Every structure is written in C-alpha cells, then in structure tokens.
Amino acid sequence: MDKVALITLSAPYEKRPLSAVYTPHQANAIGASGKNATCEIFVVSMSTPRWLEKLIPKARAFNERPDNYVYQGATFHTVRGYFPHPVALRWRLSPRFPRFASRLITWSIEMKLERRLREEGVTHLLIHDGIMLGPMGRRLARKLNLPWGIIEHDPIDLAPDTVQGRYYTRYATNGARVIFTVGAPWLSHMTGALGLKQTRLVSNGTPLPAPHHWTTPRPDKWKGKKIVLCVGGYLERKAHTMLIRAFHRANVPDSHLVIVGQPPDHVRRVAEQTRAGEPSRVEFLDHMSHDGVMQHMVWADLFALPSWWESFGLVYAEAMAGETPVIMTTDCGMTHYIKHGVHGWIIPHHDEDALVNALTEALTTADLKAMGKAGREMVERRLTWRNNALQILAGLRGEPEPKFE
C-alpha cells in the first residue's frame, strides 16, 4: 500500500478550524480512492518560547497545536522548529532571498521531519508550496529514495526573470516527478513561462453542505431580503471596499450585503461613508467555523468576491455547492470551470462598473435558483475530492492523467 506524506505549513486544528481547510479532505479522499493508498499530514510548524506569547499573541496558535492529532478524520503530525512566521518568509523575504528564506525553515526542521517520515514508513512525498518547502522535499526524497511532487497554489508571482523565479525552476522543483497547480492560467504560466513541463492541472475538491444546512431556516432579520454574501480574508486583493461601493451603487431594494469577519478600520469607514444617512445595508459578522460558513453559503442568494487574484477560489465552489450563484473576476483560477450567465458572473478585475452591473442583474432579473442548481450540478460532477485524489495519485505514481467528463 502506498502511504503519501502531505507536507504543509498550514493545516487546521480545533482552535484554528479555517486554516487550510482542504488538507483533511484531500488526505481522506486519497485514503478513500480505492487505489490502495493512504495519506497523513505533516505540519511544519513554527515554535516560540512560551514567554514570547505575551509579546506576540499570535504565537500561541502555533504552540497550542497538538503534536499528533486526528481532525475531521485525517491524521496530523506536527513537526516544530524555530523560524520566523511563514507568511513573512514567503511574501517578504523570499522574493529577494528565496534560498535563505527556505533554509530558515529547513535548518530547524529537516532532520526531525526525516526521522518522522522514516518512522511512519511513507512511500511518496507531496509538498504544499514549492518555494518554502520544495528544496527540503527534494533533499528528503533523495535521502529516503522516494518519488515526490509539489502542489503549487500561488505560482503567478514566480516570474522567470526574477531571483525567486530562477530559484524555483532551477532548484526548488528540480527532481520533482510532478507539479500540480489548481488553475488553468497558472498551468499555462508554469509550463510556458517557467518551462516546467511536468506540471499538471488538478481540480480542488469541494466540501458539500450537510443535511442540517438545508433544513435550518434563515434568521428572521433576513426574511424577505436578497442576501449577498462575501467570505474572504481582509487582504487588499480581495477587493472588499470595491464590493461595498458597488453594492451601494447598485442600490437594489431589499438587498443586504453580509461580510464574514469583523473588518479593519478602513473597510468599516467605506461602509459608513456609503450609507448617505440611510440605515446600513452592510452587515459584518464575526469569524465563524467552517460549518457556519457553509450554513451561510446555503442561506445566501448570491456570493460575491471580486478579488483580482485567486489561485483557485474554493469559496466560490463552496457557494455553488450550496446552490448559490457567484460573482468572480477573470483573475481567478476557477474561471475555466464557470460559465458566465450559467453558474454566475465573470467580470474584469478592478472594474467597479462591471461589478455594479453584475450585482444589479443578479438581484433584479436573473433566475438565481436555476443558476444555483446548475452550479451545484457542476461541482458534484467535476470538483470532487475523489477526482482530486485520483489526479494526485496518478501524478505521484508517474501514471497518465485520469480523464473526467
């Protein structure tokens, strides 16, 4: 039996349920694929002295992660090391000094991880994030004599004429049997601009709503309203402020914009400025569990997140799984699955006027129920974790890509 080790810097546990929520689904699907394989997740985790938690409260989340645990049916192993926060390494240090950034992790973690992989008897390595963990994966695969591959969610910033791009293509991915990426634009970038011909497109799977999500009624305060839902971290590229402005410009009666997560001050100010003395039709909810997010996906009439960069965009698939049409931009990895006017709207990124038009059409004349059913059918047919598992196993084993309808 093949035993896949999925090595990642981000994974969920009880106190951080929304961190890389796809990892347990991916691991469970490999085990349930019927292809004589299992998968366990090895979390490369930053560790800090306990006294630092008073100075850096976020450090507590790393220290509190259990050493070994089962979450949503998947087995996790935490391998700890002393290195700077992974986000700072990936997005601040790595663009200029990629070798040094990845080494800061591997110097403190590689020997520990090698020992754990030997103990668990793994047969294949699957690395999430080639820039940070690819070089370590390459060395571990050589030491353990194992085939290995990479899942790359964010390759678009890897330009071939940059220090980071050259490091990625010549060193970080050297020897990888397969590289997976989740969006058609990124596949073209990887195989064309970067020349990585072993890259394959792999579709993310989608968690489906549970039975109780369909039977739980919407809150009374939303009865008779058309709910536009937005779920996404408050990064500039998620375009929350543009969405708020466009929603108020559309000005459709009885519509209500619901955004999950309490906003930073600049986002809240935009919501206040657009009220023009009227009662606010924008509501910010507290962060919630993934189960809560899926419930709101089912309750919503429309999902909108006009990001100008989404490597895949799992939230759109989750919305469609809840029979909710979506608004996304052309700068989204999911666009090759979505048909404009059938499953939702695909608009140019940074185009507020196009967003106003899409919101107006969606909330006035569109048949949202028919579009929602079409979206759910597409998700159940194409965006399943079983398909994802079959694609990953075929790539790691050096087999031809499986074909799906």
Side-chain angles (χ1 to χ4, degrees):
M1 175 175 285
D2 288 335
K3 188 171 186 177
V4 178
L6 193 162
I7 303 172
T8 179
L9 284 160
S10 182
Y13 71 105
E14 184 178 353
K15 293 187 177 181
R16 290 181 65 86
L18 298 183
S19 178
V21 295
Y22 51 84
T23 50
H25 297 291
Q26 202 163 49
N28 290 334
I30 289 174
S33 65
K35 294 294 183 178
N36 200 31
T38 62
C39 179
E40 296 186 4
I41 301 164
F42 293 76
V43 188
V44 175
S45 181
M46 182 182 79
S47 182
T48 65
R50 286 289 183 177
W51 59 266
L52 265 182
E53 292 179 2
K54 294 181 179 179
L55 300 175
I56 310 173
K58 289 184 178 180
R60 185 177 294 109
F62 290 90
N63 289 332
E64 289 182 344
R65 184 187 297 274
D67 292 336
N68 299 283
Y69 61 101
V70 175
Y71 185 78
Q72 293 186 350
T75 299
F76 292 79
H77 308 280
T78 305
V79 185
R80 305 178 191 277
Y82 291 101
F83 51 85
H85 196 286
V87 173
L89 289 179
R90 174 64 176 88
W91 298 107
R92 296 180 185 175
L93 186 61
S94 177
R96 296 182 62 191
F97 306 104
R99 184 185 296 269
F100 182 60
S102 66
R103 278 291 188 175
L104 285 174
I105 294 177
T106 58
W107 280 331
S108 65
I109 216 87
E110 186 171 322
M111 292 181 64
K112 299 176 187 177
L113 182 55
E114 179 186 350
R115 183 169 61 250
R116 296 297 301 274
L117 294 172
R118 289 186 186 277
E119 291 172 352
E120 297 298 330
V122 303
T123 62
H124 296 75
L125 305 182
L126 179 61
I127 308 295
H128 276 213
D129 191 339
I131 278 287
M132 290 291 92
L133 300 181
M136 180 173 65
R138 174 192 179 198
R139 290 190 297 274
L140 288 171
R142 185 174 64 247
K143 291 177 182 179
L144 300 173
N145 193 28
L146 299 178
W148 69 292
I150 295 170
I151 295 182
E152 201 60 69
H153 284 256
D154 297 308
I156 202 64
D157 65 319
L158 301 173
D161 57 349
T162 63
V163 173
Q164 193 179 41
R166 289 192 294 270
Y167 176 75
Y168 185 80
T169 56
R170 298 175 186 176
Y171 186 70
T173 59
N174 187 19
R177 172 175 282 178
V178 63
I179 304 170
F180 301 105
T181 193
V182 296
W186 322 144
L187 176 66
S188 177
H189 178 74
M190 298 279 279
T191 58
L194 298 181
L196 297 169
K197 302 303 182 184
Q198 74 270 47
T199 306
R200 295 185 179 188
L201 183 67
V202 59
S203 59
N204 269 339
T206 307
L208 300 176
H212 70 269
H213 293 136
W214 299 105
T215 57
T216 303
R218 283 206 315 197
D220 289 342
K221 63 180 179 178
W222 293 342
K223 286 184 178 179
K225 299 183 182 296
K226 289 188 175 179
I227 301 299
V228 181
L229 179 68
C230 178
V231 181
Y234 286 104
L235 304 174
E236 183 182 5
R237 63 181 176 84
K238 300 287 186 177
H240 289 90
T241 55
M242 186 176 80
L243 174 61
I244 293 170
R245 289 194 303 267
F247 175 77
H248 280 278
R249 286 178 57 193
N251 197 28
V252 177
D254 297 322
S255 61
H256 196 65
L257 175 60
V258 176
I259 302 177
V260 174
Q262 291 300 321
D265 289 343
H266 73 278
V267 174
R268 192 179 295 277
R269 280 196 298 270
V270 171
E272 290 296 323
Q273 290 166 0
T274 54
R275 289 177 57 181
E278 299 177 358
S280 178
R281 293 189 291 119
V282 179
E283 181 177 358
F284 297 101
L285 304 180
D286 290 336
H287 288 286
M288 60 185 65
S289 67
H290 187 255
D291 182 79
V293 169
M294 292 303 296
Q295 180 65 79
H296 283 75
M297 293 294 193
V298 172
W299 280 339
D301 297 287
L302 177 70
F303 181 86
L305 184 65
S307 302
W308 61 75
W309 174 31
E310 290 288 344
S311 59
F312 179 74
L314 184 59
V315 286
Y316 305 105
E318 290 175 334
M320 289 188 292
E323 297 189 4
T324 300
V326 299
I327 296 177
M328 67 175 63
T329 76
T330 52
D331 210 10
C332 176
M334 269 200 69
T335 53
H336 64 291
Y337 297 105
I338 305 300
K339 291 184 179 180
H340 180 87
V342 176
H343 307 116
W345 289 260
I346 303 173
I347 63 172
H349 55 88
H350 291 292
D351 192 334
E352 187 174 316
D353 290 339
L355 180 56
V356 172
N357 293 336
L359 287 167
T360 302
E361 181 181 348
L363 297 172
T364 56
T365 61
D367 188 343
L368 295 179
K369 290 191 178 298
M371 296 176 78
K373 291 185 181 301
R376 180 179 173 88
E377 188 277 331
M378 186 277 290
V379 166
E380 291 181 333
R381 179 167 48 86
R382 299 194 64 185
L383 302 182
T384 69
W385 285 114
R386 174 173 169 77
N387 287 359
N388 178 277
L390 294 177
Q391 290 168 314
I392 286 174
L393 287 172
L396 289 175
R397 291 169 171 174
E399 300 170 352
E401 294 186 58
K403 302 299 182 183
F404 308 110
E405 294 183 4

